[in-house]
Amino acid sequence: MSYPLRWMNSYVLHSASGVVIIDPGPHNSVTEEEWKKALEHLGYTLEDVSGIFVTHHHPDHYGLAGWFQSQCGAQVYMSQRAYDESLLMWGTDTDINVKLKLWLQQHGLPDELASQIEQHLLDFIPQVSPMPDITIVEKESHLGLGGLSWLVIETGGHAPGHLSLYNEEFGIMMCGDAVLPQISPNVSLIPGSDPEPLYSFMNGLMNLKQYEVNQVFPGHRHPFSTFQKRIDDLLAHHEQRLIEVEKLLIQSPQNGYEICTTLFPNKLSLHQMRFAMCEALAHLQELVRRGKVQSSISILDGGIIFTTT
């Protein structure tokens, strides 16, 4: 994958009852062949895959689930909230590409970038097609996968309905993108989704911190063992970002795009800009929730401006 993610981790759990794959990756012709070779290397075929567990709806995690199901009839496990989010983003009757474009324009995204948003989102649909039939997994339930018992933990922020799997016996956490080493999971505010994603993300981190974890298997970068410290670092990072944003608004009222380009000064691709802009707006919304910032609509152009209270 492109920087800073670099690659996407999939995990194979195997037992006498078959193979379960956690987060199979995005769907394209290359990943189909990669999986066939990987399974052959492990001594399996597609027919041995009995289940696909999806931590969240993002294409790099969810995309191949429907393809696997079409090949071997595997059950696809996902939270109801994550499935709803997949329909919001990739469903046949969604208009999120239009809504997101107009919404980002209202927050100051220049027209030359906003004009590319609609097609940009449509370009992801092949990566998640075909969409699977879902077996809904309830939070705080237990799943038997790969010969082990896993507690299902639901958190939000990075993606609504994100599921992690925790095995208490060995202290193993399969956490998708809820906690990543070295890089901070993106937290995006988008229309129609979680209205307070940073608040959800930080609460989710506090929930995850209570578990005794020896080894963490994340969705990106290498497995690691410093789970509680990494959570503390992520919480501190976002608190610092909130301070930075508030200081910028003390200097002058600004829109979301102006805040974004200060927080993320490097040249960004359209894909990176979308995530950066939505993350800046997530921080602004958290400051609104805390009563430190307020938003108003400009009488000049209808844009949204943020000021300190």
Side-chain angles (χ1 to χ4, degrees):
M1 299 186 67
S2 61
Y3 183 85
L5 296 179
R6 298 186 181 176
W7 66 83
M8 154 60 200
N9 296 330
S10 297
Y11 298 98
V12 176
L13 305 180
H14 52 94
S15 66
S17 59
V19 172
V20 174
I21 296 170
I22 298 177
D23 288 347
H27 185 201
N28 56 59
S29 59
V30 174
T31 53
E32 288 181 18
E33 292 305 312
E34 286 179 339
W35 267 114
K36 291 174 184 177
K37 292 177 182 177
L39 289 170
E40 182 181 4
H41 176 74
L42 295 171
Y44 298 108
T45 66
L46 281 171
E47 288 68 32
D48 293 314
V49 179
S50 60
I52 304 291
F53 184 91
V54 179
T55 59
H56 60 296
H57 74 283
H58 292 166
D60 56 323
H61 295 255
Y62 162 70
L64 272 165
W67 177 80
F68 266 106
Q69 191 173 70
S70 71
Q71 298 296 305
C72 58
Q75 282 188 282
V76 176
Y77 302 96
M78 201 172 183
S79 74
Q80 181 67 59
R81 185 69 182 84
Y83 179 62
D84 293 343
E85 201 75 8
S86 73
L87 296 179
L88 169 69
M89 296 301 298
W90 325 119
T92 55
D93 58 350
T94 184
D95 60 354
I96 187 62
N97 59 332
V98 177
K99 287 181 177 176
L100 185 62
K101 169 197 168 183
L102 296 174
W103 186 73
L104 290 175
Q105 280 181 306
Q106 193 176 20
H107 283 289
L109 186 67
D111 291 343
E112 61 267 26
L113 292 174
S115 64
Q116 303 174 55
I117 289 291
E118 289 185 45
Q119 186 59 48
H120 170 65
L121 288 187
L122 291 175
D123 288 344
F124 284 99
I125 291 178
Q127 296 185 36
V128 297
S129 300
M131 295 182 73
D133 295 323
I134 299 297
T135 298
I136 298 300
V137 180
E138 299 292 340
K139 62 182 179 182
E140 300 179 8
S141 63
H142 284 82
L143 281 180
L145 304 173
L148 296 174
S149 177
W150 301 90
L151 173 66
V152 178
I153 305 168
E154 183 173 327
T155 55
H158 174 71
H162 185 295
L163 297 181
S164 298
L165 293 173
Y166 174 63
N167 174 261
E168 183 178 13
E169 180 182 2
F170 295 103
I172 298 172
M173 184 72 77
M174 316 285 293
C175 64
D177 287 357
V179 182
L180 297 176
Q182 301 170 296
I183 54 178
S184 175
N186 174 257
V187 180
S188 283
L189 179 67
I190 65 171
S193 186
D194 186 343
E196 295 178 339
L198 185 56
Y199 181 64
S200 297
F201 183 69
M202 297 176 83
N203 280 344
L205 290 178
M206 293 302 297
N207 179 31
L208 288 167
K209 191 180 177 183
Q210 68 180 299
Y211 296 98
E212 294 285 338
V213 176
N214 298 320
Q215 190 71 19
V216 190
F217 294 93
H220 302 278
R221 302 294 181 90
H222 294 292
F224 64 104
S225 58
T226 54
F227 190 60
Q228 277 75 19
K229 181 182 184 304
R230 184 60 186 146
I231 289 175
D232 287 339
D233 290 345
L234 288 169
L235 289 168
H237 163 74
H238 285 292
E239 289 294 348
Q240 182 59 38
R241 269 293 163 93
L242 290 168
I243 292 171
E244 293 172 16
V245 173
E246 187 177 5
K247 285 181 177 179
L248 290 172
L249 293 177
I250 289 173
Q251 295 172 16
S252 65
Q254 299 184 51
N255 63 30
Y257 180 71
E258 290 168 328
I259 293 293
C260 173
T261 53
T262 302
L263 295 179
F264 303 96
N266 297 329
K267 183 175 176 59
L268 302 176
S269 66
L270 180 66
H271 182 67
Q272 292 169 328
M273 175 56 75
R274 172 168 69 90
F275 280 113
M277 182 98 174
C278 291
E279 177 148 332
L281 290 167
H283 284 82
L284 286 162
Q285 178 56 40
E286 176 60 11
L287 289 171
V288 170
R289 190 195 69 81
R290 295 184 183 190
K292 296 186 175 184
V293 165
Q294 61 189 9
S295 64
S296 59
I297 298 177
S298 169
I299 60 174
L300 297 176
D301 60 8
I304 297 176
I305 301 295
F306 294 91
T307 58
T308 57
T309 55

